[in-house]
Amino acid sequence: GPSAMLAPFAWVSLALISPRADVGSAAALPTSFLSDAAFSRAQAAHRNIGRLRGFAPAAFTRSPPEVAFSDDISLVSDLGVDLARGREAYLSLFEAVAALNTSPLLDVAGLRAGELQCDYSIGPDAVSVRWSAPLTPASTGISAALPAAALSGISTYTLAADGRLCRHELSNLRLNGRRLPSSTLAEWLRLYRRSSPASPAEAFATAAELLA
């Protein structure tokens, strides 16, 4: 009868809508979803981190991607001092660095910074970039006698609510592996505030460890 004819289709339908034991948990839908604002931020952050990764290796030779940075982006030195505030000032500073690094003047006097080697650590609210750039002397001129060197450091970028980069903080700046005086002082101040040494002798001992 009609019921017997429909029975196979009923079994097929039941199999299609019933959970299968052999389907992994990765195929299941999530139990919660991002809000519209959080989803929009995550999308923007993904795009802007991608732009940062495309720019960072050439940070000394070309301008940053303007769209990736917020209007109030700030560049902060290892001592906590603002080097540039606002997108125009931030971009102009990097443009000046690129212009100087590619200037013919460095062919006779100076060290030219090469491509950065970058290691990225990405979190929900910030991106940390551990970088190192070779400094190469000119083959002729007064800088030819200078030895090659390497400048390294950490750049930490904070993500704003709209997914753009709103703060760029420099830290642990080193030349040939030795921490620069500014970064040494910044680290000493950080440790000093955290540990609150009981005496000047302890404070100087901390400084000696950093300089070692």
Side-chain angles (χ1 to χ4, degrees), residues 137-152:
S139 57
T140 60
I142 60 175
S143 65
L146 294 175
L151 178 67
S152 61

mmCIF file with all atom_site columns, all heavy atoms in Angstrom, residues 137-152:
data_model
loop_
_atom_site.group_PDB
_atom_site.id
_atom_site.type_symbol
_atom_site.label_atom_id
_atom_site.label_alt_id
_atom_site.label_comp_id
_atom_site.label_asym_id
_atom_site.label_entity_id
_atom_site.label_seq_id
_atom_site.pdbx_PDB_ins_code
_atom_site.Cartn_x
_atom_site.Cartn_y
_atom_site.Cartn_z
_atom_site.occupancy
_atom_site.B_iso_or_equiv
_atom_site.pdbx_formal_charge
_atom_site.auth_seq_id
_atom_site.auth_comp_id
_atom_site.auth_asym_id
_atom_site.auth_atom_id
_atom_site.pdbx_PDB_model_num
ATOM 1  N N   . PRO A 1 137 ? 77.270 48.143 6.367  1.00 0.00 ? 137 PRO A N   1
ATOM 2  C CA  . PRO A 1 137 ? 78.014 49.345 5.972  1.00 0.00 ? 137 PRO A CA  1
ATOM 3  C C   . PRO A 1 137 ? 78.161 49.414 4.457  1.00 0.00 ? 137 PRO A C   1
ATOM 4  O O   . PRO A 1 137 ? 78.046 48.407 3.745  1.00 0.00 ? 137 PRO A O   1
ATOM 5  C CB  . PRO A 1 137 ? 79.373 49.147 6.648  1.00 0.00 ? 137 PRO A CB  1
ATOM 6  C CG  . PRO A 1 137 ? 79.528 47.663 6.755  1.00 0.00 ? 137 PRO A CG  1
ATOM 7  C CD  . PRO A 1 137 ? 78.138 47.116 6.984  1.00 0.00 ? 137 PRO A CD  1
ATOM 8  N N   . ALA A 1 138 ? 78.413 50.615 3.967  1.00 0.00 ? 138 ALA A N   1
ATOM 9  C CA  . ALA A 1 138 ? 78.649 50.797 2.537  1.00 0.00 ? 138 ALA A CA  1
ATOM 10 C C   . ALA A 1 138 ? 79.952 50.107 2.138  1.00 0.00 ? 138 ALA A C   1
ATOM 11 O O   . ALA A 1 138 ? 80.856 49.929 2.950  1.00 0.00 ? 138 ALA A O   1
ATOM 12 C CB  . ALA A 1 138 ? 78.721 52.292 2.215  1.00 0.00 ? 138 ALA A CB  1
ATOM 13 N N   . SER A 1 139 ? 80.029 49.727 0.872  1.00 0.00 ? 139 SER A N   1
ATOM 14 C CA  . SER A 1 139 ? 81.243 49.048 0.385  1.00 0.00 ? 139 SER A CA  1
ATOM 15 C C   . SER A 1 139 ? 82.386 50.025 0.150  1.00 0.00 ? 139 SER A C   1
ATOM 16 O O   . SER A 1 139 ? 83.552 49.636 0.100  1.00 0.00 ? 139 SER A O   1
ATOM 17 C CB  . SER A 1 139 ? 80.935 48.295 -0.912 1.00 0.00 ? 139 SER A CB  1
ATOM 18 O OG  . SER A 1 139 ? 80.423 49.188 -1.885 1.00 0.00 ? 139 SER A OG  1
ATOM 19 N N   . THR A 1 140 ? 82.044 51.303 0.010  1.00 0.00 ? 140 THR A N   1
ATOM 20 C CA  . THR A 1 140 ? 83.073 52.338 -0.168 1.00 0.00 ? 140 THR A CA  1
ATOM 21 C C   . THR A 1 140 ? 82.758 53.513 0.752  1.00 0.00 ? 140 THR A C   1
ATOM 22 O O   . THR A 1 140 ? 81.672 53.589 1.338  1.00 0.00 ? 140 THR A O   1
ATOM 23 C CB  . THR A 1 140 ? 83.119 52.839 -1.621 1.00 0.00 ? 140 THR A CB  1
ATOM 24 O OG1 . THR A 1 140 ? 81.841 53.390 -1.956 1.00 0.00 ? 140 THR A OG1 1
ATOM 25 C CG2 . THR A 1 140 ? 83.451 51.707 -2.579 1.00 0.00 ? 140 THR A CG2 1
ATOM 26 N N   . GLY A 1 141 ? 83.694 54.442 0.866  1.00 0.00 ? 141 GLY A N   1
ATOM 27 C CA  . GLY A 1 141 ? 83.451 55.630 1.667  1.00 0.00 ? 141 GLY A CA  1
ATOM 28 C C   . GLY A 1 141 ? 83.881 55.443 3.104  1.00 0.00 ? 141 GLY A C   1
ATOM 29 O O   . GLY A 1 141 ? 84.463 54.434 3.493  1.00 0.00 ? 141 GLY A O   1
ATOM 30 N N   . ILE A 1 142 ? 83.541 56.424 3.934  1.00 0.00 ? 142 ILE A N   1
ATOM 31 C CA  . ILE A 1 142 ? 84.053 56.443 5.297  1.00 0.00 ? 142 ILE A CA  1
ATOM 32 C C   . ILE A 1 142 ? 83.434 55.365 6.180  1.00 0.00 ? 142 ILE A C   1
ATOM 33 O O   . ILE A 1 142 ? 83.975 55.043 7.237  1.00 0.00 ? 142 ILE A O   1
ATOM 34 C CB  . ILE A 1 142 ? 83.836 57.828 5.932  1.00 0.00 ? 142 ILE A CB  1
ATOM 35 C CG1 . ILE A 1 142 ? 82.327 58.167 5.971  1.00 0.00 ? 142 ILE A CG1 1
ATOM 36 C CG2 . ILE A 1 142 ? 84.596 58.898 5.188  1.00 0.00 ? 142 ILE A CG2 1
ATOM 37 C CD1 . ILE A 1 142 ? 82.035 59.472 6.692  1.00 0.00 ? 142 ILE A CD1 1
ATOM 38 N N   . SER A 1 143 ? 82.269 54.819 5.783  1.00 0.00 ? 143 SER A N   1
ATOM 39 C CA  . SER A 1 143 ? 81.639 53.799 6.614  1.00 0.00 ? 143 SER A CA  1
ATOM 40 C C   . SER A 1 143 ? 82.050 52.385 6.226  1.00 0.00 ? 143 SER A C   1
ATOM 41 O O   . SER A 1 143 ? 81.632 51.425 6.868  1.00 0.00 ? 143 SER A O   1
ATOM 42 C CB  . SER A 1 143 ? 80.111 53.914 6.520  1.00 0.00 ? 143 SER A CB  1
ATOM 43 O OG  . SER A 1 143 ? 79.675 53.632 5.198  1.00 0.00 ? 143 SER A OG  1
ATOM 44 N N   . ALA A 1 144 ? 82.894 52.256 5.190  1.00 0.00 ? 144 ALA A N   1
ATOM 45 C CA  . ALA A 1 144 ? 83.273 50.921 4.711  1.00 0.00 ? 144 ALA A CA  1
ATOM 46 C C   . ALA A 1 144 ? 84.018 50.128 5.776  1.00 0.00 ? 144 ALA A C   1
ATOM 47 O O   . ALA A 1 144 ? 83.972 48.900 5.797  1.00 0.00 ? 144 ALA A O   1
ATOM 48 C CB  . ALA A 1 144 ? 84.118 51.034 3.451  1.00 0.00 ? 144 ALA A CB  1
ATOM 49 N N   . ALA A 1 145 ? 84.702 50.833 6.674  1.00 0.00 ? 145 ALA A N   1
ATOM 50 C CA  . ALA A 1 145 ? 85.478 50.151 7.706  1.00 0.00 ? 145 ALA A CA  1
ATOM 51 C C   . ALA A 1 145 ? 84.624 49.709 8.890  1.00 0.00 ? 145 ALA A C   1
ATOM 52 O O   . ALA A 1 145 ? 85.096 48.975 9.759  1.00 0.00 ? 145 ALA A O   1
ATOM 53 C CB  . ALA A 1 145 ? 86.599 51.062 8.205  1.00 0.00 ? 145 ALA A CB  1
ATOM 54 N N   . LEU A 1 146 ? 83.363 50.138 8.918  1.00 0.00 ? 146 LEU A N   1
ATOM 55 C CA  . LEU A 1 146 ? 82.498 49.762 10.031 1.00 0.00 ? 146 LEU A CA  1
ATOM 56 C C   . LEU A 1 146 ? 82.109 48.291 9.923  1.00 0.00 ? 146 LEU A C   1
ATOM 57 O O   . LEU A 1 146 ? 81.880 47.782 8.828  1.00 0.00 ? 146 LEU A O   1
ATOM 58 C CB  . LEU A 1 146 ? 81.226 50.625 10.028 1.00 0.00 ? 146 LEU A CB  1
ATOM 59 C CG  . LEU A 1 146 ? 81.400 52.116 10.298 1.00 0.00 ? 146 LEU A CG  1
ATOM 60 C CD1 . LEU A 1 146 ? 80.069 52.838 10.127 1.00 0.00 ? 146 LEU A CD1 1
ATOM 61 C CD2 . LEU A 1 146 ? 81.941 52.349 11.709 1.00 0.00 ? 146 LEU A CD2 1
ATOM 62 N N   . PRO A 1 147 ? 81.997 47.601 11.056 1.00 0.00 ? 147 PRO A N   1
ATOM 63 C CA  . PRO A 1 147 ? 81.555 46.203 11.004 1.00 0.00 ? 147 PRO A CA  1
ATOM 64 C C   . PRO A 1 147 ? 80.040 46.118 10.810 1.00 0.00 ? 147 PRO A C   1
ATOM 65 O O   . PRO A 1 147 ? 79.305 47.044 11.179 1.00 0.00 ? 147 PRO A O   1
ATOM 66 C CB  . PRO A 1 147 ? 81.952 45.666 12.380 1.00 0.00 ? 147 PRO A CB  1
ATOM 67 C CG  . PRO A 1 147 ? 81.907 46.866 13.275 1.00 0.00 ? 147 PRO A CG  1
ATOM 68 C CD  . PRO A 1 147 ? 82.348 48.036 12.418 1.00 0.00 ? 147 PRO A CD  1
ATOM 69 N N   . ALA A 1 148 ? 79.605 45.033 10.210 1.00 0.00 ? 148 ALA A N   1
ATOM 70 C CA  . ALA A 1 148 ? 78.162 44.805 10.098 1.00 0.00 ? 148 ALA A CA  1
ATOM 71 C C   . ALA A 1 148 ? 77.586 44.613 11.498 1.00 0.00 ? 148 ALA A C   1
ATOM 72 O O   . ALA A 1 148 ? 78.276 44.205 12.428 1.00 0.00 ? 148 ALA A O   1
ATOM 73 C CB  . ALA A 1 148 ? 77.891 43.586 9.231  1.00 0.00 ? 148 ALA A CB  1
ATOM 74 N N   . ALA A 1 149 ? 76.335 44.948 11.656 1.00 0.00 ? 149 ALA A N   1
ATOM 75 C CA  . ALA A 1 149 ? 75.696 44.858 12.970 1.00 0.00 ? 149 ALA A CA  1
ATOM 76 C C   . ALA A 1 149 ? 74.253 44.380 12.802 1.00 0.00 ? 149 ALA A C   1
ATOM 77 O O   . ALA A 1 149 ? 73.773 44.200 11.675 1.00 0.00 ? 149 ALA A O   1
ATOM 78 C CB  . ALA A 1 149 ? 75.748 46.212 13.675 1.00 0.00 ? 149 ALA A CB  1
ATOM 79 N N   . ALA A 1 150 ? 73.582 44.183 13.922 1.00 0.00 ? 150 ALA A N   1
ATOM 80 C CA  . ALA A 1 150 ? 72.175 43.786 13.898 1.00 0.00 ? 150 ALA A CA  1
ATOM 81 C C   . ALA A 1 150 ? 71.426 44.558 14.970 1.00 0.00 ? 150 ALA A C   1
ATOM 82 O O   . ALA A 1 150 ? 71.864 44.627 16.123 1.00 0.00 ? 150 ALA A O   1
ATOM 83 C CB  . ALA A 1 150 ? 72.031 42.288 14.125 1.00 0.00 ? 150 ALA A CB  1
ATOM 84 N N   . LEU A 1 151 ? 70.319 45.168 14.573 1.00 0.00 ? 151 LEU A N   1
ATOM 85 C CA  . LEU A 1 151 ? 69.443 45.881 15.500 1.00 0.00 ? 151 LEU A CA  1
ATOM 86 C C   . LEU A 1 151 ? 68.205 45.020 15.713 1.00 0.00 ? 151 LEU A C   1
ATOM 87 O O   . LEU A 1 151 ? 67.611 44.538 14.748 1.00 0.00 ? 151 LEU A O   1
ATOM 88 C CB  . LEU A 1 151 ? 69.049 47.235 14.919 1.00 0.00 ? 151 LEU A CB  1
ATOM 89 C CG  . LEU A 1 151 ? 68.095 48.095 15.755 1.00 0.00 ? 151 LEU A CG  1
ATOM 90 C CD1 . LEU A 1 151 ? 68.772 48.553 17.050 1.00 0.00 ? 151 LEU A CD1 1
ATOM 91 C CD2 . LEU A 1 151 ? 67.621 49.306 14.950 1.00 0.00 ? 151 LEU A CD2 1
ATOM 92 N N   . SER A 1 152 ? 67.830 44.822 16.960 1.00 0.00 ? 152 SER A N   1
ATOM 93 C CA  . SER A 1 152 ? 66.661 43.986 17.237 1.00 0.00 ? 152 SER A CA  1
ATOM 94 C C   . SER A 1 152 ? 65.803 44.624 18.318 1.00 0.00 ? 152 SER A C   1
ATOM 95 O O   . SER A 1 152 ? 66.228 45.534 19.030 1.00 0.00 ? 152 SER A O   1
ATOM 96 C CB  . SER A 1 152 ? 67.093 42.579 17.674 1.00 0.00 ? 152 SER A CB  1
ATOM 97 O OG  . SER A 1 152 ? 67.863 42.639 18.860 1.00 0.00 ? 152 SER A OG  1
#
